[in-house]
Amino acid sequence: MTVHWDPAAREWHLANGRVSFAMRVLENGWLGHLHAGAPLGVGASLRHLGPAAFAGFTNRVGEPVALEVPVPGVGDFRVPALVVEGPDGSTVLDLRYAGHRVEPGKPELPGLPSTYAEDPAEAETLEIDLRDEPTGLLVTVRTTMFADRPVLARSLTLANGGGAALTVRCAMSAVLDLPDAGWRLVTLSGTWARERYVHDRALIPGRQSVGSLRGASGLEHNPFLALRREHATEDAGEAIGLSLVYSGNFLAEAEVDPFHTTRLRIGIHPEAFSWRLEPGATFTTPEAVLAFSAEGLGGLSEAFHALYRSRLARGPWRDRPRPVVLNNWEATYFDFDHDRLVAIAARAKALGVELFVLDDGWFGRRDNDDSSLGDWIVDRRKLPDGLEALVRDVRALGLRFGLWIEPEMVNPDSDLFRAHPDWAIGVPGRARTESRQQLVLDLSRPEVVDHLTEALVAVLSSAPIDYVKWDMNRNITEPWTPSLPPDRQGELFHRYILGVYELYRRLTARFPDTLFESCASGGGRFDPGLLAFAPQAWTSDDTDAVERLAIQWGTSLAYPLSSMAAHVAAVPNHQTGRITPLFTRAAVAMFGAFGYELDPTAMTDADLAEVARQVAWYLERRELLQYGRFLRLRSPFEGDGNETAWMVVDASGERAVVGHYRVLAHPQPVRNRLRLRGLDPDARYRVTTWADGFGAPVGSVERAGDELMAVGLGIEPPDPMPAGAVFDAIRFIRGDFAARLFELRRIQPRRRGAGA
Ligand code: GLA
């Protein structure tokens, strides 16, 4: 049991030994917040953590009283959780406790993706009802605690139990009031080709936020924020994270008030949102996930990774090894035909690749990005015998087949647009802004979702297609839909995302064995909402190994390695023009769902042989690299950013792979040891190093687990030293963009303990 209720004190304490969350009914019936974060003992009241008694902001308007569902206009002037306009136009609410229940497990949220419990014993859900008598609005505050995870899930359901329609203007998924402001705020921000860079700054009085008003979670900011204590590191110190299981417009915000308390909130962005709640109707917010860590940002990430990998992702691919793919995009762009693709696939097969992905350009008459989105009919000029023949020939090679689609879009130059111009989002009588010569289909309309279901079911059942890369390459402008009356246009963005989820739900249900990968100009919708349907996402269009260090590091703050598709591309890199060693490109991409994005028919024999060794090396360690515990060691966002290091270790500490990357070479390298984590301190490890290629290792030594964690692995001078090498500054400098991979295997028996 994790939900403890004290009926006399009207106080709840959700506790599982890893995180605590406490609330109570205040004297005026409102839901007060007492504590969130560090695990506290149960049994004793925590009521003194809030005001001794609270009957509303009668005298001290603006005092920082911690609340679960703050509303505007009643004395709390900080940002609200809920703004609901009543029939008189006022947004004043008086949400009073009206009962609660506790259920084992975790309910699904209607129409929305969410985390889940596979067995009711894994979680317990507390639902607290709050009622505003004058309007009849009933707010259900739903909090799920998982039995053995330092995480909580929160969502609200609003039900209109009154006789008049209400308008929801803001419905945050979670608000979290913290008693101090001694935190640094960490967010993930960037743009195309440099998504999810880590930004870390001190909290200051006022509001600080990231968000999206683009109709997608976006390339610019991720629906995630974390607070860390000033001295928290990757493995020590307090950190709290909020993540939103949602793919549309979002807001993630911190507000520090004059008394230096902090209010966090996360949910659908209230700008450009409103929702009409008719009598009897309900509205459920997306789910927010709160994680707590006393082991720094690393501990926070591990909590998100474990939850999202195993209790957000679903379907058979959740736990299956993800195939090594070769995608033809950077190899051919739009310029291919049947024979060229089969030649690429044949070469890929010889290298050990498992699945060939045909990217953009196979449908309509698409020789560039000017036309054909919407016309999901194979282009017979390029594939005269159709998709069936291509899939047959690719499969005959012993490869599986993947296909790119961009279902949410339409080019004005397409048969679909000519037939249904009103299906594209826009305001009649006004110009529509085009981006990449395309418009967004109005997925808020059920007939559009039905059409896309039919068109895509036809494509995906026309041949055995094992993988789908579902792209989305522009954001929504001129938001307006003919399907809603003027006073309900604020529903469009959310209804659009509900339409996307519905289409995903139908297609993943119809093709349960197909692996879906999401994509949005690279990582423009890399969010927990889509991970519930597509267990992996194309992390970024930037395939440059050096750029990927920052992108993959930042992404890993919230998302597991199994969700991050990462490919080796040709050099000079198509995004940066940089020439990095083939070894380094693979050593970076292997920390993820690995593959290639290049033309193997254009490679030298030496490079082909090396790629074959890379694939074999990866396949041998794939489970560890996709599903192991990922630990960040050295940040590309710290210091001069010249070094990055990370590792992945299995649950028992038996086997690990460490990646160390150095951007620029410097002469006379300073002495450098890399301290590892997650190993068995009592065991000895065989440490094997690869530095220039995946053939014979550079060397191999035996070292103790405690030493590797407390003292570290030798980077400069290198340990192991390459055979025959002497450490001198000149001989061991391997140039810019260098990488080293270390594999650690535990040697039995252990030095101390059982086998010693
Ligand atoms: C987007 C994707 C790329 C590729 C192209 C095709 O940019 O992110 O990976 O699929 O579209 O047009």
Side-chain angles (χ1 to χ4, degrees), residues 192 195 327 329-330 333-334 359-361 363 366 368-369 373 404-406 436 438 469 471-473 517-524 538 540-543 567 597:
W192 179 78
E195 298 92 335
N327 179 306
W329 179 240
E330 288 196 9
Y333 293 104
F334 296 101
D359 209 280
D360 194 355
F363 52 91
R366 191 153 162 97
N368 50 44
D369 54 22
L373 288 171
W404 179 97
I405 54 173
E406 193 179 356
R436 214 189 185 206
Q438 63 196 59
K469 177 179 172 187
D471 208 341
M472 193 284 292
N473 280 314
E517 175 172 300
S518 78
C519 175
S521 308
W538 181 225
S540 174
D541 276 351
D542 194 337
T543 49
H567 297 172
E597 190 98 1

Side-chain angles (χ1 to χ4, degrees), residues 543-568:
T543 49
D544 178 278
V546 174
E547 299 290 309
R548 275 291 182 129
L549 292 172
I551 295 167
Q552 291 176 206
W553 178 285
T555 305
S556 81
L557 256 66
Y559 305 101
L561 290 191
S562 56
S563 69
M564 277 191 239
H567 297 172
V568 173

Side-chain angles (χ1 to χ4, degrees), residues 183-338:
W183 300 94
R184 294 185 69 83
L185 173 65
V186 182
T187 55
L188 302 175
S189 301
T191 184
W192 179 78
R194 53 176 168 82
E195 298 92 335
R196 291 173 299 285
Y197 276 29
V198 178
H199 292 269
D200 181 316
R201 65 280 198 188
L203 282 181
I204 54 167
R207 293 163 63 174
Q208 297 148 81
S209 70
V210 292
S212 167
L213 288 166
R214 296 163 180 267
S217 49
L219 292 156
E220 290 69 20
H221 302 288
N222 200 258
F224 165 85
L225 67 74
L227 295 183
R228 69 169 179 92
R229 291 295 185 192
E230 175 80 39
H231 298 293
T233 60
E234 273 297 325
D235 61 351
E238 251 191 322
I240 290 177
L242 278 178
S243 164
L244 189 67
V245 186
Y246 192 57
S247 312
N249 291 350
F250 76 93
L251 175 69
E253 183 165 42
E255 180 179 12
V256 175
D257 84 337
F259 301 92
H260 289 201
T261 73
T262 303
R263 172 167 289 173
L264 300 179
R265 61 175 189 162
I266 195 164
I268 295 176
H269 204 307
E271 268 173 53
F273 169 81
S274 68
W275 196 272
R276 188 165 167 94
L277 207 56
E278 298 291 347
T282 61
F283 177 84
T284 296
T285 70
E287 171 169 299
V289 175
L290 178 145
F292 170 77
S293 162
E295 291 88 38
L297 280 178
L300 198 67
S301 298
E302 281 195 64
F304 281 119
H305 293 176
L307 182 73
Y308 287 171
R309 191 174 53 220
S310 63
R311 292 295 179 269
L312 175 64
R314 49 194 89 205
W317 282 103
R318 184 187 76 182
D319 304 322
R320 261 188 217 162
R322 308 291 168 75
V324 174
V325 312
L326 185 136
N327 179 306
N328 76 311
W329 179 240
E330 288 196 9
T332 66
Y333 293 104
F334 296 101
D335 182 17
F336 57 79
D337 60 20
H338 178 107

Side-chain angles (χ1 to χ4, degrees), residues 460 468 470 504 507-508 511 514-518 533-536:
L460 300 182
V468 169
W470 179 322
Y504 255 111
L507 293 176
T508 51
F511 302 99
T514 303
L515 171 59
F516 283 76
E517 175 172 300
S518 78
F533 300 99
Q536 61 186 58

Side-chain angles (χ1 to χ4, degrees), residues 82-267:
L82 210 57
V83 182
V84 178
E85 200 177 288
D88 59 0
S90 114
T91 54
V92 172
L93 293 173
D94 185 8
L95 292 168
R96 293 175 186 240
Y97 173 72
H100 76 275
R101 59 219 153 256
V102 179
E103 301 283 350
K106 185 170 187 298
E108 295 271 321
L109 302 183
L112 287 163
S114 59
T115 59
Y116 56 90
E118 230 165 37
D119 181 320
E122 287 178 4
E124 216 168 16
T125 299
L126 164 65
E127 291 190 337
I128 301 173
D129 292 332
L130 306 175
R131 191 189 312 279
D132 177 61
E133 282 304 335
T135 56
L137 175 69
L138 183 75
V139 177
T140 299
V141 182
R142 188 177 300 106
T143 315
T144 298
M145 174 165 265
F146 290 88
D148 192 32
R149 299 174 189 273
V151 300
L152 291 138
R154 161 65 61 91
S155 60
L156 303 185
T157 295
L158 316 182
N160 185 350
L166 304 172
T167 303
V168 184
R169 301 230 171 262
C170 167
M172 286 287 127
S173 299
V175 161
L176 192 66
D177 277 339
L178 300 169
D180 69 84
W183 300 94
R184 294 185 69 83
L185 173 65
V186 182
T187 55
L188 302 175
S189 301
T191 184
W192 179 78
R194 53 176 168 82
E195 298 92 335
R196 291 173 299 285
Y197 276 29
V198 178
H199 292 269
D200 181 316
R201 65 280 198 188
L203 282 181
I204 54 167
R207 293 163 63 174
Q208 297 148 81
S209 70
V210 292
S212 167
L213 288 166
R214 296 163 180 267
S217 49
L219 292 156
E220 290 69 20
H221 302 288
N222 200 258
F224 165 85
L225 67 74
L227 295 183
R228 69 169 179 92
R229 291 295 185 192
E230 175 80 39
H231 298 293
T233 60
E234 273 297 325
D235 61 351
E238 251 191 322
I240 290 177
L242 278 178
S243 164
L244 189 67
V245 186
Y246 192 57
S247 312
N249 291 350
F250 76 93
L251 175 69
E253 183 165 42
E255 180 179 12
V256 175
D257 84 337
F259 301 92
H260 289 201
T261 73
T262 303
R263 172 167 289 173
L264 300 179
R265 61 175 189 162
I266 195 164

